[in-house]
Amino acid sequence: MGGKNESSTSLAPMKGGQLLALYLKDCQQSGLTPVPLLVEQMQTAAANDLPYTFYKLSDVPLIRSDVSCIANSLRHNPFATRVDLVNCQLDDSSLLILLEGMSEFGSVTHLNVSNNHLSGTQSAIAKCLHQMPQLLQVNLSQNNLGNTLGGDVMWGGVKLDSQYCQINKLNLSQTNLPIAALLALAAGLRNNKTIRFLSLQSDNINSVAAQALALAISHNTTITTLDLKGNDISTAGAQALGKALSGNKCLKTLVLWSNNIPSHGCALFFQHLVSNRHITHLDIGCNQLSGEASSALKQYLSHTPSLATLGIASARLYPEDAVAIAEGFQ
């Protein structure tokens, strides 16, 4: 699954000092100025005779030639486990180059490329999602992956149930995903056996997409944290999620903060959720919790000893609603 590919036996593993020399040589040959922070990290590893495990760069603009030099370093580094290139102006071509370097030894398990210029145009995102079996945690947040109608994400999402996907933590927040891509993700999640943490904050999730996610949750047996903060699931989405969670024994944390759920929608959600005995953390703040919603929440709380924390910050409610909710905890 992970591990070396056929060509990796020709590459000698390198530690800090050797990697630094290789990186400086590659930069010189490419006419590039070495990235000072990367040099400093490699020097620290070399000074302590340690392997270089964590490539960490933030707010450093990188052109493709820069990424090629970093990727070549990765091709010789079987000790690398984490790559964070945050806000480095990476495009899809650069990500593909990076992934090729990571594929050599297959040792990198954590990849964070949030807040870059990725658009999902050259299969780089799909490769992250289902063709890199060594990856366990992937952060693609704050990239505009909807530029091409999300085709790359659609292909990668529907393949999340592939044996080549071993991701357990996936962050796709603020990626401007179109509805088709969201539906494909939901389809892939139904039979996915690895993802435990899924963040889809501010991803244009409407009631249709929420219902598809609810269907996925009703089948999925591994997701323990689902973060849907800042979407628009409204009444239909909330009701569908409540129904799905009535029989779900896996999900522990659910975030629905600011999802345009009116009082009736919240009431329907809690009425279905009352049979769930496994959720321990629920955030439904910044929604309408007055009237029938607070009454349903009171009933839910009185029947749910498993709930440890309830988030209702910025929720719309009246003093009598707050009293009802407090009574539910007694």
Side-chain angles (χ1 to χ4, degrees):
M1 297 262 296
K4 300 180 180 181
N5 61 26
E6 293 180 357
S7 65
S8 62
T9 54
S10 63
L11 297 178
M14 295 182 178
K15 286 190 175 182
Q18 295 171 307
L19 283 173
L20 177 58
L22 174 67
Y23 174 65
L24 293 175
K25 179 182 177 181
D26 285 345
C27 287
Q28 183 181 32
Q29 291 179 343
S30 300
L32 300 172
T33 299
V35 178
L37 184 57
L38 195 61
V39 171
E40 179 184 342
Q41 293 171 5
M42 290 183 178
Q43 286 175 334
T44 299
N48 293 280
D49 193 28
L50 294 172
Y52 181 45
T53 61
F54 187 3
Y55 291 68
K56 185 178 182 180
L57 295 176
S58 296
D59 307 315
V60 179
L62 300 174
I63 62 174
R64 290 174 194 172
S65 297
D66 289 314
V67 178
S68 293
C69 293
I70 294 172
N72 194 40
S73 168
L74 284 164
R75 291 180 70 242
H76 291 80
N77 187 358
F79 308 104
T81 58
R82 182 169 176 176
V83 175
D84 282 18
L85 300 182
V86 178
N87 192 26
C88 292
Q89 300 182 16
L90 302 183
D91 59 12
D92 292 70
S93 296
S94 295
L95 180 56
L96 280 174
I97 293 169
L98 189 68
L99 294 176
E100 286 300 319
M102 289 166 49
S103 297
E104 187 66 39
F105 282 105
S107 60
V108 176
T109 58
H110 294 56
L111 175 65
N112 183 351
V113 285
S114 62
N115 196 19
N116 279 289
H117 295 167
L118 306 179
S119 61
T121 58
Q122 299 184 34
S123 301
I125 307 302
K127 185 169 185 176
C128 278
L129 294 181
H130 72 94
Q131 294 179 1
M132 300 289 289
Q134 74 270 27
L135 285 178
L136 302 180
Q137 297 189 14
V138 177
N139 188 342
L140 297 167
S141 64
Q142 295 179 276
N143 285 288
N144 190 2
L145 303 183
N147 282 344
T148 56
L149 301 180
D152 195 7
V153 182
M154 287 171 58
W155 174 241
V158 78
K159 289 289 186 178
L160 285 175
D161 61 354
S162 164
Q163 62 176 322
Y164 300 106
C165 173
Q166 296 298 312
I167 298 169
N168 59 51
K169 185 173 184 178
L170 178 60
N171 190 338
L172 287 168
S173 295
Q174 300 179 56
T175 49
N176 193 31
L177 295 177
I179 184 68
L182 291 167
L183 296 179
L185 281 170
L189 288 170
R190 291 186 200 177
N191 297 311
N192 176 276
K193 302 299 182 184
T194 61
I195 294 176
R196 299 196 298 270
F197 175 98
L198 177 63
S199 182
L200 296 170
Q201 290 187 13
S202 303
D203 266 329
N204 305 318
I205 297 175
N206 58 16
S207 60
V208 175
Q211 290 175 74
L213 284 171
L215 180 60
I217 290 297
S218 68
H219 289 82
N220 185 278
T221 58
T222 56
I223 295 177
T224 60
T225 297
L226 177 60
D227 190 346
L228 299 179
K229 176 181 178 180
N231 285 290
D232 188 24
I233 72 171
S234 65
T235 295
Q239 182 178 16
L241 280 172
K243 285 182 178 180
L245 291 171
S246 64
N248 182 285
K249 299 180 180 180
C250 185
L251 195 73
K252 304 296 182 185
T253 299
L254 176 63
V255 181
L256 294 177
W257 193 89
S258 186
N259 260 276
N260 193 30
I261 310 174
S263 178
H264 182 59
C266 287
L268 291 172
F269 173 73
F270 289 122
Q271 288 166 11
H272 290 296
L273 198 65
V274 74
S275 61
N276 183 290
R277 298 290 185 273
H278 302 278
I279 290 179
T280 57
H281 304 279
L282 174 64
D283 188 346
I284 197 162
C286 203
N287 291 293
Q288 177 66 268
L289 292 182
S290 61
E292 60 179 319
S294 64
S295 298
L297 176 53
K298 175 183 175 179
Q299 286 297 111
Y300 165 66
L301 292 173
S302 65
H303 289 83
T304 311
S306 63
L307 193 69
T309 60
L310 173 67
I312 57 173
S314 302
R316 294 182 183 179
L317 44 79
Y318 297 102
E320 58 268 28
D321 301 311
V323 171
I325 295 171
E327 289 174 348
F329 280 106
Q330 296 176 2

